[in-house]
Amino acid sequence: MIKGLDETVVASEQGGNDFSPIPKGTYFLKLVEVGAWEDSIQKNMKVIAFDDRFQKMKDANDKDITEIVPEVHIFKNKLKFEVIEGAQAKKTFFHFVSTHPNIPWAIPNLVHAFGVPSLKLSQFKTLIGQCIKADLDIEPSKKGKVVTDKDTGIDTMTYPEYTVAKRFYALTDDESDRLTDKEENPLDI
């Protein structure tokens, strides 16, 4: 462990983690890390009205019903998952969760996938080690990255691809039993 800026670091080639996107598909994931919740405040936010089934409410002209809320607290967190089966096993996937009022279904869907009826945000760490199923896809980043060609010196804007979760699912009883057996007895002994 490096303890200070004046410590000498000895060069060493190591096999790093593979952070390339996980191909589109359905995967079994294990939650391995929950970050710290961060709070931000948005002023004068346009908030969409939703019904209790998370459907946007519409006015007589079929426009979203919205209201301007003077101050909204939005809590965000980064969850780290690991693929636990198949060709992508051991690859990590980061999923960001948020209490943003215009995506009210996101956290309840994730909590449902873990098979718990309710959960406080402060209790998310209790889910570490639990498995769920997810549909993953690849999307280009919305933030471009300038890359300079080493030979020509020409800058090019690139949009790196990353893995996104499209939907989370609770495991069936059979899937849960099979994955639990694998965790407890990974060598099938």
Side-chain angles (χ1 to χ4, degrees):
M1 178 169 66
I2 298 172
K3 297 178 182 165
L5 296 176
D6 291 325
E7 188 168 331
T8 301
V9 177
V10 178
S12 168
E13 184 176 353
Q14 301 291 322
N17 290 329
D18 177 5
F19 291 109
S20 61
I22 297 169
K24 179 178 182 173
T26 301
Y27 294 90
F28 295 104
L29 306 173
K30 178 169 48 170
L31 181 62
V32 294
E33 190 175 303
V34 175
W37 287 95
E38 297 176 11
D39 181 13
S40 64
I41 298 173
Q42 299 290 319
K43 303 272 187 195
N44 300 316
M45 176 181 252
K46 186 177 188 179
V47 175
I48 301 169
F50 290 87
D51 65 18
D52 59 352
R53 294 180 55 232
F54 303 121
Q55 301 298 313
K56 290 180 182 179
M57 297 176 74
K58 304 283 186 177
D59 64 17
N61 296 321
D62 202 36
K63 301 257 191 246
D64 293 344
I65 297 173
T66 61
E67 70 172 304
I68 301 297
V69 179
E71 185 174 286
V72 177
H73 282 266
I74 298 175
F75 296 92
K76 300 174 190 173
N77 201 334
K78 181 168 77 171
L79 309 177
K80 181 179 179 182
F81 290 92
E82 183 178 282
V83 177
I84 56 175
E85 281 192 325
Q88 302 301 314
K90 303 282 186 204
K91 283 196 78 168
T92 56
F93 158 68
F94 295 95
H95 180 69
F96 296 88
V97 292
S98 168
T99 61
H100 194 292
N102 291 340
I103 53 169
W105 60 85
I107 292 177
N109 175 249
L110 184 58
V111 170
H112 173 77
F114 279 108
V116 293
S118 63
L119 187 74
K120 294 179 181 178
L121 295 181
S122 62
Q123 296 174 316
F124 253 77
K125 288 188 182 218
T126 65
L127 300 173
I128 292 174
Q130 300 295 312
C131 298
I132 60 173
K133 189 166 38 172
D135 290 338
L136 303 181
D137 202 352
I138 298 174
E139 291 185 356
S141 174
K142 291 177 178 71
K143 295 180 181 176
K145 178 179 180 183
V146 176
V147 176
T148 304
D149 185 289
K150 293 177 184 172
D151 297 327
T152 65
I154 297 173
D155 290 341
T156 306
M157 182 65 78
T158 62
Y159 295 87
E161 295 182 326
Y162 65 102
T163 304
V164 296
K166 293 295 186 174
R167 183 165 183 191
F168 292 104
Y169 303 92
L171 300 177
T172 65
D173 290 341
D174 289 342
E175 291 167 339
S176 181
D177 291 345
R178 183 174 55 80
L179 294 171
T180 301
D181 288 345
K182 251 187 197 176
E183 290 294 312
E184 292 172 0
N185 193 3
L187 299 177
D188 292 328
I189 297 174

